[in-house]
Amino acid sequence: MAKVHPHLTPSLQTFIAAQHLFFVASAPLSGDGHVNLSPKGLDTFRILSPLRVAYLDLTGSGNETSAHLKENGRLTFLFCAFTGKPQILRLYGRGSTVLPEYAEWNYLSQQFDLLPGTRQIIVADLERVQTSCGFGVPKYEYQGQRPRLPDWASQKGSDGLADYQQRKGSRSIDDLPTPVGERAEHSSW
């Protein structure tokens, strides 16, 4: 049975801190657009307050979440227990993208250990905090984080990453613009 909480309680914050993996979901407004669901790890999630969270977004093969947030702001996080007591936690909210050149970056970036390949920080103000049983989630044993993404980003270097982010992250697969794409448009002014 689902239970709605007024905010992230201390026990829910402890639950989040114990998870090595979370999922982020977003979608465009268009009914023909693609729903995006991405797994995240590498200790990139932070609780800023009981109703505000953020995650460090690393360079990847696309930038769907950022495009969707720019268009409509809707965002859902999912955490689920793979060990111990079964539980699922969904955080529904409105999000935004914070790039390194934005004023908020200075404060937000201090909340993280910045990793090679850091592209942006996604911030969300929560509108609904909901738990459910998680009885159907299988048990898995955590073996560690994969170092491949930070290693790849380090090898690319800052110029290589900037080029890759522009080529792979300036538009969504549904051709929506992202803040990374706007950065390139404005840099030519």
Side-chain angles (χ1 to χ4, degrees), residues 5 11 18 30 39 58 62-63 72 80 97 129-130 150 161-162 178:
H5 304 265
S11 65
S30 168
L58 306 178
N63 200 1
N72 63 62
C80 51
T97 300
V129 176
Q130 178 182 309
L161 273 175
T178 71

Side-chain angles (χ1 to χ4, degrees), residues 7-19:
H7 53 77
L8 286 172
T9 63
S11 65
L12 292 175
Q13 292 183 37
T14 300
F15 173 73
I16 289 171
Q19 306 313 307

Side-chain angles (χ1 to χ4, degrees), residues 16-138:
I16 289 171
Q19 306 313 307
H20 302 287
L21 170 70
F22 64 97
F23 299 88
V24 179
S26 62
L29 291 175
S30 168
D32 294 335
H34 294 83
V35 174
N36 184 62
L37 177 62
S38 296
K40 305 291 181 181
L42 298 170
D43 189 32
T44 56
F45 192 86
R46 296 293 182 269
I47 299 167
L48 304 176
S49 76
L51 286 173
R52 188 168 193 155
V53 298
Y55 77 89
L56 189 66
D57 187 57
L58 306 178
T59 302
S61 58
N63 200 1
E64 300 306 302
T65 302
S66 189
H68 297 157
L69 294 180
K70 180 175 172 26
E71 183 195 45
N72 63 62
R74 297 177 305 163
L75 187 65
T76 301
F77 297 98
L78 176 97
F79 295 85
C80 51
F82 293 108
T83 61
K85 177 184 168 189
Q87 180 168 291
I88 295 172
L89 171 63
R90 289 180 180 88
L91 307 176
Y92 301 89
R94 296 281 170 180
S96 61
T97 300
V98 178
L99 296 175
E101 59 267 24
Y102 293 7
E104 306 95 322
W105 181 266
N106 291 333
Y107 166 74
L108 290 170
S109 65
Q110 292 176 23
Q111 310 307 308
F112 300 92
D113 293 326
L114 297 181
L115 298 169
T118 294
R119 171 173 50 195
Q120 57 206 4
I121 296 172
I122 303 295
V123 180
D125 294 307
L126 304 180
E127 298 172 337
R128 183 179 179 96
V129 176
Q130 178 182 309
T131 54
S132 56
C133 68
F135 293 161
V137 175

